[in-house]
Amino acid sequence: MHYLLRRLGFYLLAAWAALTINFFLPRLMPGDPASTLFARFKGKLDPAAIEALRATFGLTDAPLWRQYLTSLGHVLQGDLGVSIAYFPSPVAEVIGTGLGWTLFLAGSAVIVSFAIGTLLGVVAAWWRRGWADSWLPSTLIFVGAFPYFWLAMAALYVLGFTLGWFPLGHAYSDDAVPGWTWAFTADVLRHAALPMTTIVLVTLGGWLLTMRNTMISLLGSDYVNLARAKGLPSAQVALRYAARNALLPSVTGFGMALGFVLGGSLLTEIVFSYPGQGYLLVQAVRAQDYPLMQGIFLVITLAVLGTNWLVDLIYLWLDPRTRDAGS
Amino acid sequence: MSRADATQATGLGAWAHAIRRDRKALSGAIILAVFALVGIAGPWFAGDPSALVGVPLQPPSGAHWLGTNGQGQDVLAQLIAGTRVSLAVGFGVGLAVVLLGALVGVTAGYFGDRVDALLSVFSNVFLVLPGLPLAIVIAAYLPSGPFTVALVLTLTGWAWNARVLRAQTLALRRRDFVAAAVVAGESEWRLLLVEIVPNMLSVLVAQVIGSTVYAIGAQVGLEFLGLGDVARVTWGTMLYWAQNDAALLTGSWWTFVPPGLCVALVGFALTMLNSGFDEITNPRLQLERVWRAFLERRGVPAGRSTPVVREP
């Protein structure tokens, strides 16, 4: 329990750091971009929008610390300001429309990739110098060297454009009616298949290598040798004895990989015009919609922190030593 | 491996030796050398990458080996011009990220206590914040260009290196030769720069290589989003324009395949170089090889475990 609380404290600290970066970033930049922003939008935006923008940045005449506290208070109430590009929609509302899609796409891609990659790592380590150990890692490293979004472009070109096997973009067909029906679910899965596969392909190699390397060093340890000497079935030695312990570094990496994969999936979304956070983020960048941009950063950060805490829970279950240290 | 080899393997001169001996490292080094040569000398031969030379979106032909892009510029000339900027930013950021990471990590590991606690929390926070979204937000506020991209990627990418180097420093700090140097009354600076840092050299080199892979990928990603200077020719902006000119929907694969392949080739070469070094410098893999050779000479199939073998 102590362990979990300490981790929770750390994530709160990280969330606070993200909020602080969000607050000071516009104020630290050379030439005060907030003012130049207002100057640029003068005439294009109505005064109400500019006022909303000022309020978003907390750019009042109050002293800095008071502005800071006001901005923190707003965020705590779920108020992320007003979007410029989608004026007068609040940022929180705009983000809400895309968040589900991103979590669905990136989340399932990470889980699928982790499961397959880790299993392949076990296979590669157990049958040392077999097919899974000799050519699979270097192939996957080569695939992993491509930028996510480039692989997505190539897949879209070959499988979507030339062969016509997959839809060319978006989360579901124009004529589909959203709802919990089989037809709609199948449609969504068909649209998600290609983006998800590209993310899985790029990230697979990392999981495989981490698992393989830890597994190899564990296979030489005494308790595994003893298990084998006792005559336990191979599958039991490989999975229950070696793999369970070898999983620990991979699980630690899982939390950190999450931010990375989310970043990559943002880029993949753009290639597939997938209506998630990445798509919104690019719209925000191109329209210089700073409140929306910062809101997306904040929401993504909070999602990553929350998942990291869940990963800590899993770690606690996997590794009894953390439990003992906590009590 | 004899004693002399073992001592040599820790020095800097061992890198060249390692590259020659390992097939992976050698192929990586050759690919990199070709790219470096193109990056340095290529632009003098390739002509102006921004010149409008023909009809837009022409497929590869004798006149334009890689075709033309959506603006009617030569794709090959752009690729060659882009190599210089992309590699320079990649290696620059790779180096900067490790320097910053070393500064934080070694300081934390060496001084320990409160300094360590503070710096560790600091780098862990940076580690858990999602890098690319943070990079995008910072880059959006700064004037666009290769320097901004480099700065942003350095700021968002150093934390992992700091964490690894802190652990390395902690391990070295406890070693006898450091204790001996302390007893001998060496100054703290000398301890750090002469006793500790040189012993981390192999880790540092591996980190520079790994960070460069990260930097090239992230740089291309940022530029693809339009956060670089889109008037400047780099691999990333080539992909940006390919996406903007709807290369996919017009079937012009030659505008986006070459820059992506280049990024992947450089990344692959760097990774190969790194794993080749690892085979040489990792005592565990080293011993495993010795052991396997020993078994093979006697016609015994190697087992699953990695044994601890004394030098034969």
Side-chain angles (χ1 to χ4, degrees):
Chain A
M1 213 53 236
H2 181 74
Y3 167 76
L4 280 182
L5 282 179
R6 216 179 47 220
R7 297 303 296 168
L8 190 64
F10 169 72
Y11 294 130
L12 286 177
L13 184 74
W16 170 75
L19 284 173
T20 309
I21 291 174
N22 246 354
F23 175 81
F24 282 104
L25 207 53
R27 289 169 174 79
L28 278 179
M29 288 305 159
D32 185 14
S35 304
T36 40
L37 183 71
F38 296 138
R40 191 165 36 206
F41 280 110
K42 244 186 196 132
K44 275 196 273 179
L45 279 179
D46 57 288
I50 292 185
E51 208 39 57
L53 195 60
R54 278 191 164 280
T56 302
F57 282 114
L59 282 177
T60 46
D61 296 328
L64 202 60
W65 63 268
R66 188 175 287 251
Q67 291 180 28
Y68 181 58
L69 289 182
T70 317
S71 117
L72 282 188
H74 278 290
V75 173
L76 285 182
Q77 290 162 19
D79 175 13
L80 297 173
V82 176
S83 163
I84 300 171
Y86 298 87
F87 189 80
S89 297
V91 167
E93 197 182 299
V94 178
I95 291 176
T97 60
L99 189 61
W101 290 117
T102 296
L103 290 182
F104 165 65
L105 183 68
S108 21
V110 168
I111 291 169
V112 169
S113 166
F114 180 80
I116 299 179
T118 306
L119 258 174
L120 285 176
V122 173
V123 170
W126 189 253
W127 286 284
R128 218 45 224 293
R129 274 152 239 298
W131 60 274
D133 192 36
S134 41
W135 61 265
L136 205 56
S138 15
T139 316
L140 285 176
I141 289 174
F142 184 66
V143 174
F146 286 100
Y148 285 39
F149 65 90
W150 185 86
L151 210 66
M153 285 170 111
L156 187 61
Y157 177 71
V158 177
L159 299 175
F161 180 76
T162 314
L163 296 172
W165 291 354
F166 292 96
L168 289 178
H170 303 293
Y172 51 87
S173 311
D174 295 335
D175 49 359
V177 188
W180 292 107
T181 58
W182 283 114
F184 185 70
T185 313
D187 194 49
V188 166
L189 287 181
R190 213 165 57 86
H191 280 78
L194 212 48
M196 209 180 277
T197 312
T198 53
I199 300 177
V200 169
L201 271 181
V202 183
T203 45
L204 209 54
W207 298 124
L208 188 151
L209 278 187
T210 316
M211 192 62 186
R212 170 188 172 272
N213 293 346
T214 335
M215 192 69 182
I216 284 174
S217 57
L218 274 184
L219 283 177
S221 64
D222 290 341
Y223 79 95
V224 174
N225 281 333
L226 176 68
R228 216 182 291 139
K230 280 196 296 191
L232 288 180
S234 290
Q236 196 175 350
V237 179
L239 297 175
R240 299 263 315 266
Y241 281 68
R244 181 176 170 154
N245 281 333
L247 209 55
L248 293 175
S250 291
V251 172
T252 316
F254 191 87
M256 263 173 283
L258 209 76
F260 197 71
V261 173
L262 248 162
S265 82
L266 297 186
L267 295 170
T268 307
E269 280 175 15
I270 292 150
V271 176
F272 287 97
S273 321
Y274 208 80
Q277 300 295 289
Y279 193 67
L280 280 176
L281 191 56
V282 171
Q283 301 298 322
V285 167
R286 297 212 172 138
Q288 288 172 317
D289 187 346
Y290 294 107
L292 182 57
M293 222 164 58
Q294 294 193 321
I296 292 174
F297 166 65
L298 208 59
V299 167
I300 290 177
T301 307
L302 292 181
V304 168
L305 294 180
T307 324
N308 264 291
W309 201 60
L310 282 181
V311 170
D312 285 340
L313 280 175
I314 297 174
Y315 199 91
L316 203 63
W317 171 69
L318 272 175
D319 188 355
R321 283 173 301 183
T322 25
R323 258 172 294 180
D324 295 343
S327 58
Chain B
M1 182 163 148
S2 68
R3 277 275 169 232
D5 276 344
T7 36
Q8 196 198 359
T10 54
L12 238 194
W15 298 115
H17 184 65
I19 290 175
R20 257 183 290 130
R21 233 175 41 176
D22 191 275
R23 205 152 35 110
K24 277 191 205 164
L26 185 66
S27 52
I30 290 174
I31 299 176
L32 274 184
V34 171
F35 271 103
L37 199 68
V38 169
I40 295 166
W44 288 319
F45 300 100
D48 181 12
S50 307
L52 305 174
V53 292
V55 185
L57 294 179
Q58 285 294 299
S61 64
H64 306 292
W65 290 357
L66 290 177
T68 56
N69 68 4
Q71 267 88 46
Q73 296 153 336
D74 188 68
V75 174
L76 183 63
Q78 292 220 317
L79 198 65
I80 291 172
T83 305
R84 182 180 279 187
V85 185
S86 297
L87 285 190
V89 172
F91 279 101
V93 171
L95 208 63
V97 158
V98 173
L99 281 180
L100 193 57
L103 195 69
V104 175
V106 173
T107 314
Y110 182 80
F111 291 102
D113 289 341
R114 278 200 200 143
V115 181
D116 184 20
L118 198 72
L119 289 177
S120 288
V121 166
F122 187 58
S123 41
N124 282 340
V125 164
F126 262 88
L127 206 56
V128 82
L129 294 181
L132 189 77
L134 181 58
I136 290 172
V137 170
I138 303 178
Y141 281 106
L142 291 169
S144 57
F147 185 73
T148 299
V149 171
L151 182 77
V152 166
L153 292 181
T154 309
L155 280 178
T156 53
W158 57 270
W160 176 251
N161 299 295
R163 190 176 165 140
V164 174
L165 291 174
R166 170 184 171 268
Q168 279 286 320
T169 313
L170 278 178
L172 281 173
R173 188 88 174 77
R174 282 194 285 266
R175 297 277 284 275
D176 290 344
F177 72 90
V178 177
V182 173
V183 174
E186 288 187 9
S187 71
E188 301 228 301
W189 280 109
R190 204 184 136 75
L191 271 176
L192 263 177
L193 296 179
V194 179
E195 306 291 347
I196 291 184
V197 172
N199 278 302
M200 298 198 301
L201 214 56
S202 65
V203 182
L204 287 171
V205 172
Q207 285 203 333
V208 170
I209 296 176
S211 302
T212 306
V213 177
Y214 146 81
I216 291 178
Q219 169 204 6
V220 169
L222 280 184
E223 287 173 343
F224 172 69
L225 287 177
L227 284 166
D229 181 359
V230 292
R232 207 169 178 128
V233 180
T234 67
W235 292 343
T237 54
M238 286 176 77
L239 288 170
Y240 168 80
W241 285 113
Q243 171 85 0
N244 248 23
D245 298 337
L248 281 170
L249 303 178
T250 53
S252 6
W253 53 268
W254 57 90
T255 54
F256 70 88
V257 169
L261 269 182
C262 286
V263 173
L265 268 176
V266 172
F268 183 68
L270 286 166
T271 314
M272 284 291 115
L273 200 60
N274 234 357
S275 76
F277 283 159
D278 197 38
E279 297 268 342
I280 303 293
T281 50
N282 189 336
R284 187 167 200 108
L285 295 172
Q286 183 74 254
L287 279 177
E288 190 181 302
R289 197 163 20 193
V290 172
W291 177 243
R292 219 181 318 118
F294 176 77
L295 288 177
E296 271 164 18
R297 272 203 303 279
R298 281 161 182 72
V300 183
R304 297 195 201 287
S305 53
T306 305
V308 178
V309 201
R310 300 270 164 259
E311 286 172 11

